[in-house]
Amino acid sequence: MSRPVLDDPHYYLRNFCFVLDWLTARYAPLLEGAEAAFITAFHDLPEPARALLVRMAMRKGDHFRHHRLNYPEIGSTAAAVAPLIEEGLVVRNVALSLPEAAPLMSSADVSTLAHREGVTGRSKGDRVEALIARCGMAPAPFDHWCASATTEPLYTLTCSEILLRLRLMFFGNLRQHWSEFVLAELGVYRFETVAFPEAARAFHCRADIDLYLALSTQREALDAGESPNALLPSVPEVAADNAWLTGRRDRLLYQLGLAAQRQQQTETALAAFEQSGDGEARMRRLRLLEKQDPQAAWVLADTAWAAPISEAEAQQLARLRPRLAKRLGHVLVPDAPPPATPSCTVTLPRSASVERAVAEAFTTPDAPVVYVENALFNTLFGLLCWDALFAPMPGAFFHPFHHGPADLFRPDFVHRRKALFDQALARLEDGRYMDWIARMRSEKAGLQSPFVVWGLSDQVLDLALACIPAAHLKLIFTRLLHDIKANRAGFPDLIQFEPAKQRYRMIEVKGPGDRLQDNQKRWLAVFARHDLPAEVCHVRWDDSDKGDP
């Protein structure tokens, strides 16, 4: 695909045509008669008609007033819309209910209608609510509601459902809209080239698409305020071998459980959390059971303690189990306290950045301190594991413009790529990792990645590779892979390098009143347990130079 340029006023149309060609090449067997017919009809339309249809698809809603479809590069709206009407992709002057008509009306239009119907209201929204109460929901011609539209056509898209399916197949989700792609200056970002073999397609049959849409409909109903109690029984089942859709179902059940909990539908919340395989669902269920049925909570907590889903869950269980034990009269064998992390306290002049103040105070000519936070280890990990992260897997990549795999935070992300991650980590054992990272820095420079921060200087990366032992990197990367979502954050703020001694130390900075977060505590405990050099620096501000007021 050639890079779209803003000098081309139809570049959004070129991008949309790319989408259709992409889907046709990769999903032809899944494009049922309606979608295939739409694609054929679209390509046969005159350019102004195609451009207008894309403009309408990018806008919110399905209904459009003639005067609001004014695009210089398209020309006459009446001429452009005529082929769309002839093809049945657009219809004129459908009847609308007042809630459908109101978004198309100006405040003046609503005021005119309110005056005619004898209702009042301070704002447009207030007047619309009063009008709906007065006039009801029955559809009527648009000019019945809007006096200024007596001679103005109203156009309605009839192909929205087809466009929705095509959008889902291209993006792999319904969060992204056409405007995010067809209006994008794609040349601003550069993306990794990923193979798209048939086996890596996210949707293998139309039933997969139907199931995704069914789950999305349930989520929309939940967001619209429908009772979780009513929705839970109709959550569709997913085949056990479809991990991608199973993950979406698990997340829906988790959201249902949260909504039920907020609405005090406790039994529904417990059932939803129990059915969900989401990583956070078990702890939510445990906290509910702690209040409702402590004995059941104890049994579940015991099971969870024997095989926690993640370190975060283990950390939360360590807080919950003593409470339950005390309430039920059980005796817990106290766990060994985590190894202590060295700490220091420094007094520094006030600064806008406490981290940079510590970095300046600790830096020496032979041992620079750099503010890296999460960027350094994530970047090294992203470069070392580049081929594993961008491996074509079902549900990972839907189009050529991904910043990273769509399944990055799914529980099975690492398992599905285990052999590739094992190969990447093996480079740390046989010494190939430095050459590999240097090669990736050169070959992939500037490509989008969920881990690599290209703004991190080559000097910092070179210092890191010279000072941090490969065994330490392997330990950090292995733990990161255990829970990517939780563990790619929480690294210490600063790192100090001593290249002459091939040493380093990590420094977590806490200003006055700051406390360690849970993910920071977990990383520091790992560092202490394995003798990796890390410490916490507590900062006090030196206000001694302040004079009396």
Side-chain angles (χ1 to χ4, degrees):
M1 178 185 180
S2 61
R3 170 179 171 173
V5 293
L6 296 179
D7 291 338
D8 177 7
H10 288 103
Y11 74 97
Y12 59 89
L13 174 58
R14 310 291 174 240
N15 289 350
F16 186 78
C17 289
F18 170 84
V19 170
L20 298 185
D21 292 343
W22 172 267
L23 293 175
T24 300
R26 284 155 183 82
Y27 283 111
L30 276 64
L31 297 173
E32 207 172 48
E35 291 92 353
F38 168 83
I39 293 173
T40 299
F42 180 85
H43 285 308
D44 290 341
L45 290 168
E47 184 175 80
R50 285 185 284 131
L52 182 61
L53 181 63
V54 176
R55 285 290 195 184
M56 296 169 80
M58 291 189 300
R59 298 266 293 266
K60 185 177 180 180
D62 293 335
H63 310 292
F64 306 91
R65 296 179 68 171
H66 178 92
H67 80 276
R68 293 182 181 172
L69 296 174
N70 183 23
Y71 300 101
E73 80 278 6
I74 293 176
S76 167
T77 300
V81 80
L84 299 177
I85 294 173
E86 183 179 351
E87 193 62 43
L89 298 172
V90 171
V91 295
R92 287 168 53 108
N93 299 330
V94 299
L96 302 180
S97 67
L98 185 51
E100 292 173 319
L104 307 174
M105 299 166 64
S106 67
S107 293
D109 292 329
V110 173
S111 294
T112 300
L113 179 62
H115 179 73
R116 188 186 81 190
E117 297 295 333
V119 301
T120 60
R122 297 185 61 181
S123 66
K124 177 183 175 181
D126 291 340
R127 290 191 290 273
V128 168
E129 287 186 14
L131 283 165
I132 292 172
R134 171 68 62 85
C135 302
M137 302 289 288
F142 182 58
D143 59 9
H144 172 76
W145 307 116
C146 185
S148 68
T150 303
T151 60
E152 179 186 22
L154 178 76
Y155 305 120
T156 299
L157 275 178
T158 64
C159 53
S160 295
E161 288 299 317
I162 293 173
L163 290 169
L164 181 139
R165 280 182 171 266
L166 295 176
R167 179 160 60 90
L168 170 59
M169 294 170 71
F170 184 74
F171 287 115
N173 63 71
L174 293 177
R175 299 186 308 276
Q176 293 175 274
H177 294 273
W178 293 121
S179 58
E180 296 182 34
F181 175 77
V182 297
L183 282 180
E185 175 56 55
L186 296 178
V188 172
Y189 299 108
R190 295 171 52 238
F191 303 87
E192 175 64 295
T193 300
V194 180
F196 287 89
E198 183 174 338
R201 292 188 322 201
F203 300 106
H204 292 280
C205 60
R206 288 189 65 85
D208 289 346
I209 302 172
D210 293 338
L211 184 54
Y212 186 106
L213 291 172
L215 292 169
S216 294
T217 299
Q218 290 265 9
R219 180 58 191 268
E220 289 170 5
L222 180 65
D223 292 342
E226 190 162 339
S227 169
N229 204 19
L231 288 171
L232 182 60
S234 57
V235 172
E237 295 292 334
V238 176
D241 61 349
N242 195 325
W244 178 57
L245 287 175
T246 296
R248 295 198 62 83
R249 181 179 187 272
D250 287 340
R251 195 63 185 172
L252 170 63
L253 287 165
Y254 177 72
Q255 296 296 337
L256 276 170
L258 290 181
Q261 187 175 357
R262 286 192 296 269
Q263 297 175 30
Q264 297 184 335
Q265 299 175 5
T266 304
E267 292 305 316
T268 298
L270 286 170
F273 291 141
E274 184 175 9
Q275 293 177 46
S276 174
D278 186 88
E280 300 175 66
R282 184 160 66 177
M283 280 307 305
R284 285 282 180 176
R285 184 177 166 220
L286 264 170
R287 292 194 186 101
L288 274 178
L289 286 173
E290 183 181 9
K291 299 175 182 177
Q292 301 292 320
D293 188 345
Q295 184 56 45
W298 176 258
V299 173
L300 181 59
D302 216 34
T303 301
W305 186 249
I309 294 171
S310 64
E311 291 178 354
E313 185 182 65
Q315 192 176 35
Q316 295 173 66
L317 286 167
R319 297 171 185 152
L320 180 141
R321 291 177 73 243
R323 293 199 306 266
L324 277 175
K326 182 177 181 180
R327 184 171 179 180
L328 296 171
H330 297 315
V331 177
L332 281 181
V333 177
D335 297 314
T341 298
S343 65
C344 66
T345 300
V346 297
T347 302
L348 300 173
R350 283 188 177 272
S351 170
S353 170
V354 65
E355 295 87 1
R356 298 194 187 282
V358 173
E360 291 176 8
F362 284 9
T363 290
T364 68
D366 298 325
V369 179
V370 187
Y371 184 16
V372 294
E373 202 171 16
N374 299 313
L376 176 60
F377 288 108
N378 276 304
T379 294
L380 292 173
F381 170 81
L383 292 171
L384 181 72
C385 301
W386 189 281
D387 51 347
L389 293 169
F390 287 95
M393 296 280 176
F397 298 97
F398 298 85
H399 51 76
F401 311 107
H402 275 285
H403 290 71
D407 64 335
L408 181 62
F409 299 135
R410 281 218 326 249
D412 63 343
F413 175 79
V414 175
H415 176 74
R416 296 204 295 161
R417 299 161 174 81
K418 185 178 184 304
L420 292 170
F421 280 118
D422 286 346
Q423 291 174 19
L425 295 180
R427 298 180 188 119
L428 293 166
E429 297 177 350
D430 59 24
R432 291 177 297 139
Y433 71 100
M434 289 193 182
D435 289 340
W436 178 270
I437 289 175
R439 175 184 159 192
M440 292 298 102
R441 284 163 63 186
S442 174
E443 290 184 5
K444 309 299 182 181
L447 297 183
Q448 295 297 299
S449 163
F451 291 95
V452 178
V453 179
W454 293 111
L456 206 61
S457 72
D458 288 346
Q459 180 186 16
V460 170
L461 292 175
D462 289 339
L463 282 169
L465 292 174
C467 296
I468 304 174
H472 291 193
L473 292 176
K474 183 176 181 182
L475 186 147
I476 290 170
F477 297 163
T478 299
R479 180 178 183 270
L480 200 160
L481 286 170
H482 285 160
D483 189 344
I484 289 176
K485 185 176 183 179
N487 293 342
R488 70 174 185 165
F491 289 101
D493 300 301
L494 310 177
I495 188 164
Q496 185 167 34
F497 299 113
E498 294 185 75
K501 298 179 180 178
Q502 294 185 319
R503 295 193 316 198
Y504 75 103
R505 66 166 173 161
M506 297 172 283
I507 307 167
E508 176 61 38
V509 179
K510 288 300 169 189
D514 287 347
R515 301 173 63 182
L516 289 170
Q517 300 173 10
D518 279 353
N519 58 356
Q520 295 171 334
K521 291 178 181 178
R522 294 195 296 269
W523 270 118
L524 290 170
V526 170
F527 298 150
R529 192 177 305 120
H530 295 278
D531 295 322
L532 270 64
E535 65 182 75
V536 179
C537 177
H538 300 279
V539 177
R540 295 173 180 167
W541 294 130
D542 181 6
D543 294 326
S544 60
D545 59 343
K546 286 188 176 181
D548 293 332

